Amino acid sequence: MEITPLGLDYDINKYNSLTGSFRVGARNGKNYQDGLFTQAFENAVFDGSSLRDVKTLDNSQSFDFNLSYIKTFEKPQQEFSVLGMYSRNNRNNDFENLIREIDGAASPSGIKNLNDSYNEEITVQMDYIAPINNNQMIEFGGKSIMREVFSNFTSFRDPEGDGSYELQQSASLTNNLNYNQNVSAGYLSYTLNTSNAIGFKAGARYEYTTIEAFTQTESNIEIPSYGTLVPSLNVSKRLKNNNTIKAAYNRRIQRPSIQFLNPNIQAANPLNISVGNPQLDPELTNNYELSYSTAIKGTSINLSGFMRNTNNGIQRIREVSGDTIRTTFKNIGQENAYGLNFFVNIIAGKLTVNGGGDLYYLTLTNNDANPEFTASNEGWVISGRLFGNYQLKNDWALQFFSFYRGRQVQLQGTQGGFGIYSLAINKNFKNKKGSIGFGAENFFAPSMKIRNELVSPTINQSGYNEMYNMNFKINFSYRIGKMSFDQQRPRRGRRSINNDDLKDGGGMDMGGGMNEGPQMGGGAQRGAMPQARPQTAPVQPTVTAPTDTVYEAAGTWMYAIEGGQPGSSGGKLTIVKDGETYGGSIKSDRMPQEVQLSKVSVEGNTIKFAYTVNFGGNEVVIDCTAVIIENEMTGSMNIGTFRTMPIKATRQ
């Protein structure tokens, strides 16, 4: 359960504003496995069995507070911002394992583990954007992330199975982890757009990380400080008919999250336990990409080829002790992926369909000197997604979504694929202040089975996880006056903090639950490179409005978006003027319905407006700031708190 952010926007004056938000959430999970029967075989010969009852508990509560100060200037796109964020997640991750029988004979006993933990994160970020002239921009800033992680775990044993638990004093079973991480970063980037439609953006970020870690029994876990240079380079060329070719390179850093670090032994299944490694280093990935986008009548296409290289990758290491498989983590992996990504968007009357997929070849190796752990694997990985929208009468719309992820290649074996699908119908109210939606997900089959295979010099293991994910939902949203209980409305120049530098868990993944369930990773992660400031478009044009001539904003404009979602070609923008008041509408090529604009304001040659898009009752506010010079409009479009993209429009 999550409560949508409560927010406050305050315009101090024309050029200064404050934005604040507060969000709380809770997630409680219980899992019972009564009568769990396990059989073991060695060389196809029966080697024993057990019957047990297992209960696991995973409860968490989180809250986030954000405060932003934005200062704009007379010159368009010049901006200074100071952002702050405080986040905390409290989590209880416990299990109890009651053994009933061993080899068919009663043998009552039990083990129990209690793990109370929290993750606290404070972030401060400053950014400055300065247009140099009408085709250049410089951006620089700094960021500091202060993380404090604490996990207190206690283990008990019931030798008679009568509920009389005894504390286990071993340091590996009853202990705590204190892990404090401070990251300081600074960045600089330069953007140039030439007269022959070539865009160039180069930047670099330097991060320095210090870590202090200790436990109840170890006063100092030696983890050296380290510095990391994170460069990026984007070059694009706009061809005829809005076709674009782009080449990009960036480096991505992924620090281990608590699920990889926590030394608490997870033994809900005592035959398959896992334990973290507090001395893990981050992994670095180099990303290379070459893409081409085009539009043919009502169809837009984006095709890209990519290569990913990850060194020092965090990989699982499994070893056998008796009947128990023990899993931990080391920086021994090297991953290489070579593949293609495509996206297609089709408009056919009231029907909009878009989808895409990834196909890549993945190679995985490790560098462990112990031949018992040496491993390598390779193979093809494929995934795809499809989205559709059909506009009905009276502001009703029918929407569907599907996703399939194929078999994943892992260092020691494979993980099977799975798919999800959903169908929804949505109604926008006539006054555009709200909507209601009805949806269903995975309604043909209540569960999906994900098969796994583990192969190593010492272990051959196969099995499957069965996940139940059928659900039905109703979404309702309505705005009262200027107050919104939906996603918070971004203001002009709105920015947000995005800490995405933790591997498989994000900033608020806490606890220590490292159960060997489905792993959503793989080799080539196609995510955004973590920034010392929020993501902006790779190439964002900058235009300075002339002060001696004021051009008319009203009219019909055909706009194009560059650097956004693959295949985003744009649409039609209509600006109307009634006396001194402006209004209008926008119709995107991605959606057939026309949407009314809000907050349309024109000051000289600068125009600002916003509009709301809706999917299944979830609303996202998009705002835009642009400069008009004769029959050309150039600016930036902010999509919620997610990303900023450049927009160009031509008057019709």
Side-chain angles (χ1 to χ4, degrees):
M1 177 187 72
E2 181 177 289
I3 298 178
T4 304
L6 299 176
L8 173 67
D9 293 329
Y10 175 62
D11 289 330
I12 302 172
N13 53 39
K14 181 179 178 181
Y15 297 111
N16 296 273
S17 63
L18 288 174
T19 301
S21 68
F22 179 74
R23 179 179 62 191
V24 296
R27 180 172 61 86
N28 296 326
K30 293 182 180 179
N31 182 37
Y32 296 92
Q33 293 177 295
D34 294 334
L36 179 61
F37 182 66
T38 304
Q39 290 182 313
F41 295 85
E42 184 174 354
N43 297 324
V45 178
F46 178 73
D47 193 41
S49 66
S50 66
L51 179 67
R52 67 188 73 241
D53 297 335
V54 180
K55 179 175 69 174
T56 58
L57 175 71
D58 188 4
N59 295 340
S60 67
Q61 304 84 38
S62 64
F63 60 90
D64 306 308
F65 176 72
N66 288 268
L67 184 64
S68 304
Y69 165 73
I70 309 292
K71 179 176 179 57
T72 57
F73 300 84
E74 191 70 33
K75 180 184 291 188
Q77 297 186 339
Q78 183 179 2
E79 184 180 283
F80 172 73
S81 62
V82 180
L83 313 178
M85 179 179 72
Y86 173 79
S87 300
R88 184 181 173 100
N89 180 281
N90 300 314
R91 188 167 180 178
N92 301 105
N93 189 255
D94 311 328
F95 70 83
E96 184 178 24
N97 196 317
L98 301 176
I99 301 174
R100 302 302 185 193
E101 297 179 2
I102 298 293
D103 295 335
S107 180
S109 66
I111 57 175
K112 182 167 63 173
N113 177 268
L114 305 179
N115 182 20
D116 299 331
S117 57
Y118 71 82
N119 185 358
E120 191 173 75
E121 188 171 273
I122 300 173
T123 307
V124 179
Q125 174 178 314
M126 290 189 294
D127 304 288
Y128 181 68
I129 303 176
I132 299 175
N133 50 37
N134 64 351
N135 68 338
Q136 299 179 72
M137 180 192 298
I138 189 170
E139 304 174 58
F140 58 88
K143 184 176 186 178
S144 177
I145 306 174
M146 293 158 281
R147 294 187 173 109
E148 181 177 342
V149 173
F150 176 75
S151 174
N152 184 47
F153 50 93
T154 309
S155 295
F156 302 86
R157 185 170 183 84
D158 178 11
E160 304 298 330
D162 58 1
S164 302
Y165 280 100
E166 303 171 354
L167 178 66
Q168 294 186 280
Q169 298 288 353
S170 168
S172 63
L173 299 174
T174 298
N175 211 324
N176 61 37
L177 173 67
N178 297 263
Y179 189 92
N180 300 323
Q181 180 189 85
N182 294 321
V183 181
S184 300
Y187 78 95
L188 173 67
S189 70
Y190 169 75
T191 300
L192 170 67
N193 292 278
T194 67
S195 58
N196 57 351
I198 295 178
F200 172 85
K201 183 171 184 178
R205 184 177 77 257
Y206 182 77
E207 300 183 354
Y208 191 76
T209 304
T210 60
I211 298 172
E212 178 187 25
F214 58 93
T215 68
Q216 185 175 326
T217 56
E218 188 175 0
S219 60
N220 181 32
I221 301 175
E222 293 188 6
I223 305 175
S225 303
Y226 58 90
T228 307
L229 181 65
V230 185
S232 65
L233 176 66
N234 292 269
V235 180
S236 67
K237 168 66 175 178
R238 190 170 65 253
L239 308 174
K240 295 180 180 180
N241 300 321
N242 285 326
N243 297 340
T244 303
I245 186 170
K246 182 175 70 174
Y249 162 78
N250 65 64
R251 179 175 293 168
R252 178 181 175 89
I253 182 172
Q254 292 280 268
R255 297 178 175 86
S257 60
I258 186 63
Q259 67 185 54
F260 299 103
L261 300 168
N262 198 342
N264 181 34
I265 297 176
Q266 287 291 312
N269 180 356
L271 300 179
N272 193 353
I273 67 174
S274 58
V275 57
N277 177 6
Q279 295 182 297
L280 288 173
D281 295 325
E283 58 182 38
L284 295 174
T285 300
N286 293 304
N287 305 290
Y288 307 86
E289 186 167 338
L290 180 65
S291 65
Y292 175 77
S293 60
T294 185
I296 305 172
K297 294 183 179 180
T299 302
S300 55
I301 302 171
N302 181 277
L303 179 66
S304 62
F306 62 86
M307 181 177 72
R308 307 281 187 261
N309 166 256
T310 300
N311 293 308
N312 211 35
I314 298 172
Q315 296 287 351
R316 286 173 171 78
I317 289 294
R318 297 175 174 93
E319 57 185 341
V320 178
S321 177
D323 294 332
T324 301
I325 299 174
R326 181 180 184 273
T327 301
T328 188
F329 306 90
K330 289 186 178 181
N331 292 102
I332 58 172
Q334 180 171 330
E335 305 177 8
N336 294 289
Y338 315 88
L340 296 172
N341 168 268
F342 72 93
F343 180 91
V344 178
N345 186 69
I346 302 173
I347 303 291
K350 296 181 180 181
L351 177 66
T352 301
V353 178
N354 60 65
D358 299 276
L359 174 66
Y360 58 89
Y361 192 79
L362 179 66
T363 65
L364 300 170
T365 59
N366 69 17
N367 305 307
D368 199 292
N370 188 339
E372 183 178 340
F373 299 140
T374 300
S376 64
N377 202 0
E378 59 185 68
W380 289 98
V381 180
I382 187 171
S383 65
R385 55 269 179 200
L386 183 68
F387 168 79
N389 182 92
Y390 185 78
Q391 194 67 28
L392 305 172
K393 295 181 179 179
N394 301 321
D395 292 322
W396 285 92
L398 186 66
Q399 298 159 339
F400 65 87
F401 172 79
S402 63
F403 169 82
Y404 178 76
R405 194 203 69 177
R407 184 198 65 158
Q408 300 293 290
V409 177
Q410 299 179 338
L411 186 60
Q412 294 177 314
T414 60
Q415 178 182 312
F418 69 93
I420 60 175
Y421 54 89
S422 66
L423 183 67
I425 186 168
N426 181 74
K427 164 72 173 178
N428 285 318
F429 302 148
K430 289 184 178 180
N431 57 12
K432 304 298 182 183
K433 284 190 174 183
S435 65
I436 186 170
F438 307 90
E441 184 173 312
N442 299 330
F443 43 85
F444 286 123
S447 67
M448 50 187 171
K449 297 179 180 179
I450 303 177
R451 300 187 180 277
N452 306 284
E453 183 180 43
L454 170 61
V455 179
S456 78
T458 58
I459 306 170
N460 280 305
Q461 185 183 58
S462 62
Y464 71 87
N465 293 293
E466 188 168 4
M467 301 174 62
Y468 290 82
N469 194 35
M470 181 175 66
N471 64 77
F472 301 89
K473 56 187 177 182
I474 299 176
N475 295 305
F476 175 79
S477 66
Y478 192 80
R479 293 190 301 277
I480 303 174
K482 294 184 178 180
M483 184 178 295
S484 174
F485 292 93
D486 306 306
Q487 275 190 299
Q488 197 176 22
R489 179 181 298 277
R491 309 284 293 179
R492 61 182 181 187
R494 179 178 177 83
R495 296 185 176 278
S496 64
I497 290 175
N498 179 28
N499 294 338
D500 61 351
D501 60 321
L502 294 183
K503 177 180 174 70
D504 285 352
M508 299 310 298
D509 186 18
M510 203 35 228
M514 294 175 290
N515 298 317
E516 292 294 294
Q519 301 301 318
M520 301 301 293
Q525 294 187 11
R526 297 182 51 75
M529 182 182 72
Q531 301 288 332
R533 53 174 297 273
Q535 287 266 18
T536 56
V539 180
Q540 181 161 335
T542 305
V543 178
T544 301
T547 58
D548 54 346
T549 304
V550 177
Y551 299 101
E552 178 59 55
T556 301
W557 303 79
M558 302 304 295
Y559 72 89
I561 300 174
E562 300 174 359
Q565 295 295 328
S568 296
S569 58
K572 182 176 73 172
L573 173 67
T574 303
I575 305 296
V576 297
K577 183 179 181 182
D578 183 8
E580 297 300 319
T581 303
Y582 286 87
S585 62
I586 189 168
K587 184 177 181 182
S588 168
D589 288 342
R590 295 174 63 85
M591 291 292 180
Q593 64 267 32
E594 193 167 12
V595 179
Q596 295 298 310
L597 302 179
S598 62
K599 290 190 175 181
V600 183
S601 65
V602 178
E603 298 180 11
N605 290 315
T606 300
I607 182 172
K608 300 178 181 180
F609 59 86
Y611 65 97
T612 302
V613 295
N614 184 289
F615 173 66
N618 298 317
E619 294 189 351
V620 176
V621 180
I622 301 176
D623 67 345
C624 179
T625 301
V627 172
I628 299 171
I629 300 180
E630 295 183 348
N631 295 316
E632 300 292 327
M633 182 189 298
T634 306
S636 62
M637 180 174 285
N638 301 303
I639 300 183
T641 59
F642 303 109
R643 64 185 310 169
T644 301
M645 301 182 299
I647 179 175
K648 287 189 176 183
T650 303
R651 193 193 306 269
Q652 297 298 295

